[in-house]
């Protein structure tokens, strides 16, 4: 798999703030309610991994916060929802060779309005690879 965006990518939002290795994104999809049995695996959770496509790499971040800054008592009102991300590291896009091994740290920070995607199982395997000394522990 190379670093290009595919139809299977699941967009969750866009970046609205960057401060060092901390990024805040405005969510496109609602945060599942705790009593919603249909939420299942699609619910965003603290500690979940997301990714941001950069020109020459994919940056991975961990969800460190979920916020509704102006909550409403009315379930019909669409609320603004934010996710706070701690950037973990990146995989370089090697073109036809695919992606490099995950390495901690980010060489190029994301910018405003960049899209944030859900990480898939193969992404998680890269980030948490036990055989790679640069993986997350």
């Amino acid at each position: 798999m190379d670093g290009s965006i595919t139809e299977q990518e699941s967009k969750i939002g866009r970046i609205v703030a960057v401060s060092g290795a901390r990024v805040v994104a405005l969510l496109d999809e609602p945060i599942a309610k705790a009593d919603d049995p249909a939420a299942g695996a699609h619910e965003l959770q603290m500690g979940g991994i997301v990714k941001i496509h950069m020109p020459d790499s994919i940056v991975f971040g961990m969800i460190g916060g979920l916020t509704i800054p102006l909550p409403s008592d009315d379930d019909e009102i669409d609320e603004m929802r934010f996710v706070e991300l701690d950037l973990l590291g990146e995989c370089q896009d090697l073109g036809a060779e695919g992606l490099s091994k995950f390495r901690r740290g980010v060489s190029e920070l994301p910018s405003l309005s960049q899209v944030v995607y859900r990480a898939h199982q193969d992404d998680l395997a890269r980030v948490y690879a036990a055989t790679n000394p640069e993986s997350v522990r």
Side-chain angles (χ1 to χ4, degrees):
M1 171 184 159
D2 63 16
S4 62
I5 300 170
T6 66
E7 289 181 23
Q8 297 170 336
E9 298 287 352
S10 180
K11 176 184 172 189
I12 63 167
R14 65 183 172 90
I15 296 174
V16 295
V18 179
S19 180
R22 178 69 97 150
V23 172
V24 177
L26 176 64
L27 294 175
D28 291 339
E29 61 184 47
I31 296 173
K33 298 197 184 323
D35 59 351
D36 182 2
H42 297 291
E43 180 180 3
L44 292 177
Q45 300 177 19
M46 295 289 292
I49 303 294
V50 297
K51 61 185 175 180
I52 303 160
H53 289 269
M54 301 295 290
D56 298 316
S57 65
I58 294 178
V59 172
F60 294 95
M62 179 178 287
I63 297 174
L66 295 165
T67 307
I68 299 174
L70 299 170
S72 170
D73 291 335
D74 186 353
D75 287 342
E76 301 301 316
I77 294 179
D78 198 17
E79 302 168 316
M80 285 195 312
R81 300 159 316 273
F82 295 94
V83 61
E84 299 170 27
L85 307 172
D86 297 309
L87 300 181
L88 299 173
E90 65 188 352
C91 291
Q92 294 296 314
D93 187 350
L94 303 175
E97 297 177 38
L99 294 173
S100 70
K101 288 184 177 179
F102 175 84
R103 73 170 186 234
R104 289 176 284 178
V106 177
S107 60
E108 180 182 4
L109 292 173
S111 59
L112 297 177
S113 297
Q114 281 190 274
V115 177
V116 178
Y117 298 92
R118 289 183 184 279
H120 297 290
Q121 288 292 43
D122 56 337
D123 299 319
L124 298 177
R126 275 185 213 292
V127 172
Y128 292 110
T131 58
N132 181 2
E134 290 294 316
S135 64
V136 175
R137 300 169 218 225

